[in-house]
């Protein structure tokens, strides 16, 4: 599909039938009305009205809020109203860098439409004909996008870890990148989108890093999340983005962003400015 | 001022008191009501109502429309209702890459709020402590932003010239960059903003190029538009952006964009995502 269609595909969403989800006096997400109705059972944790769902003010700190959500959430999983948790906690913030208001299991980010943060690392080798990109092939056993193509390194940001620390951690686990190389990763912007999913809504902010690699480096997966890696000219990766759905849905956007920043898309491309702007649908 | 304030400063505008300006059946700009009132005199060229100003359909091609605007414009200059023309014609398009609907003098882009396109070239030398940027000092005799700091090469896009051709031309005129070096300029995205000015409104799309230069290259101005060049660490340029108004208003945005793409702003900067998104206010 056309490059811009990938951006449009990552931004299909509607707020119809969703209620604001308030935490600590600010809106931290959205809840579907059917989930909100089930949450009325925990009147000592949540105030549920036709205007929204709020964690009670009496739950005044991160611990109390997180515990309340974990408890109600566990019961809602049994009701099959929430997906099984992944035992990885993520920070709930009004915006990135702000106060952590609550911790939430990664699996519940979507049902509560809580903003989600992650790092994506373009591992590349410069060359006379343009950069080559290391591409990961996602393991077939993964819940999200099994078998799809991926960035060399990518991962959601758990609570209590900084962005760069997460880059080091994921680079080691996913691609066996030595820390002295991972330390040279350069931040290069963000990609953001809002997407309705079966579980709820993704409001993702991907922090993009470029990591220049020695020509003789080859990534090796250490955590079972990646079944293998291939090194492609970035132009070829861009062609695969343009012509197929082989890449994981959001990785298409990361590749487009890389291609624009590295001069692989000519500015007279009819969608050029729309691509540049569309890659960050929110901030 | 804070980095984001430069973006906000480039986007101060209001459509109050402005009427849509139609050319060839599409909206190509905006005209202030006072200017619209003066345009009623040319009823054989313009249809002026309280809903907008349109070039008459009977002026069916680029030649006829351009001639009509040039003629009325010349008279409006004498009335001091338009700035003196610069004798450099620019394309009027609904969007970049689309059909050229009319030609308009560069000085009248703002009064008619016609979208304006230009190229900005970051001339840089990579180094172990990050890139160094060649910065131009604008001649004191220039109409716009005299004496301010500028990109090494920048220029508006006249009619009939492609983006890359304009890069070569301006790189030669403004900085004496040999064409074999200019040819290595890499497109790297766009910066866009909408800004009210005394003359009207700027709706600018800047096509950004990075041009890696040999360490021993030094730009030399050939057209009198630049009084000199300095080579600064890009981090220093960014500090000057953050702390002063020494740079031309829109060049601040180009430097911020360069700094983000080259990893000189940490992603935990409190405005990081707002900066990335805000640098392209429209597409």
């Amino acid at each position: 599909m056309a490059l811009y269609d990938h951006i449009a595909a990552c931004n299909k969403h509607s707020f119809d039938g969703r209620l604001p989800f308030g935490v600590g006096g600010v809106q931290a997400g959205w809840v579907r009305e059917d989930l909100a109705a089930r949450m009325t059972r925990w009147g000592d944790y949540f105030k549920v009205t036709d205007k929204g769902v709020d964690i009670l003010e009496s739950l005044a700190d991160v611990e109390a809020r997180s515990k309340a959500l974990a408890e109600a959430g566990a019961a809602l999983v049994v009701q099959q109203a929430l997906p099984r948790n992944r035992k990885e906690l993520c920070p709930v913030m009004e915006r990135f860098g702000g106060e952590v208001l609550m911790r939430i299991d990664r699996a519940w980010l979507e049902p509560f439409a809580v903003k989600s943060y992650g790092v994506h690392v373009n591992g590349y080798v410069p060359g006379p004909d343009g950069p080559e990109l290391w591409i990961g092939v996602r393991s077939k056993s993964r819940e999200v996008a099994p078998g799809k193509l991926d960035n060399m390194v990518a991962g959601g940001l758990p609570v209590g870890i900084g962005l760069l620390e997460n880059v080091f951690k994921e680079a080691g686990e996913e691609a066996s990148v030595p820390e002295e190389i991972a330390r040279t990763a350069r931040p290069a912007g963000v990609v953001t989108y809002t997407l309705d999913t079966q579980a709820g809504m993704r409001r993702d902010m991907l922090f993009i890093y470029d990591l220049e690699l020695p020509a003789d480096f080859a990534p090796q997966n250490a955590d079972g999340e990646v079944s293998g890696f291939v090194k492609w000219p970035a132009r070829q990766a861009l062609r695969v983005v343009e012509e197929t759905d082989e890449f994981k849905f959001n990785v298409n956007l990361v590749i487009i962003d890389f291609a624009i920043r590295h001069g692989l898309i000519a500015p007279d491309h009819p969608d050029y400015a729309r691509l540049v702007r569309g890659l960050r649908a929110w901030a």
Side-chain angles (χ1 to χ4, degrees), chain A residues 29 41 47 52-53 71 103 130 171 177 179 181 225 233 236 245:
Chain A
R41 169 188 297 260
K47 180 176 147 210
V53 176
E71 182 201 319
R103 295 184 295 267
V177 180
E179 190 166 322
I181 293 181
E225 296 200 345
Q236 178 184 343
D245 278 317

Side-chain angles (χ1 to χ4, degrees), chain A residues 20-31 39 45-46 53-57 59-62 64-66 69 91-94 99-104 112 114:
Chain A
F21 178 45
V23 180
V26 301
Q27 184 176 351
W30 298 85
V31 184
M39 293 170 75
Y45 295 161
F46 309 113
V53 176
D54 292 282
I55 297 215
L56 291 187
E57 270 181 58
L59 302 176
D61 63 21
V62 177
R65 293 171 194 145
S66 305
L69 187 71
V92 178
M93 298 176 275
E94 187 178 16
E99 182 195 355
V100 175
L101 306 165
M102 185 170 72
R103 295 184 295 267
I104 185 171
F112 291 95
V114 164

Side-chain angles (χ1 to χ4, degrees), chain A residues 163-273:
Chain A
L163 288 171
L164 204 53
E165 198 183 340
N166 202 34
V167 167
F168 299 161
K169 174 179 157 287
E170 295 284 351
E173 291 172 5
E174 292 198 345
S176 307
V177 180
E179 190 166 322
E180 69 267 22
I181 293 181
R183 282 201 176 278
T184 65
R186 283 191 317 274
V190 293
V191 164
T192 57
Y193 50 87
T194 305
L195 174 64
D196 278 342
T197 63
Q198 205 163 6
M201 180 184 277
R202 293 181 73 124
R203 297 200 293 153
D204 288 0
M205 178 173 287
L206 313 182
F207 290 90
I208 308 299
Y209 290 78
D210 281 359
L211 177 59
E212 188 176 322
L213 295 165
D216 61 358
F217 173 82
Q220 283 195 300
N221 181 248
D223 64 3
E225 296 200 345
V226 183
S227 67
F229 292 96
V230 290
K231 185 165 66 170
W232 284 354
R235 286 180 206 281
Q236 178 184 343
L238 185 65
R239 250 191 330 268
V240 171
V241 167
E242 191 152 19
E243 294 169 8
T244 76
D245 278 317
E246 289 302 303
F247 278 97
K248 185 184 167 211
F249 69 104
N250 56 3
V251 175
N252 290 293
L253 275 52
V254 180
I255 304 276
I256 294 169
D257 174 69
F258 182 87
I260 285 173
R261 289 184 295 101
H262 288 261
L264 307 179
I265 303 182
D268 48 11
H269 186 293
D271 289 328
Y272 193 71

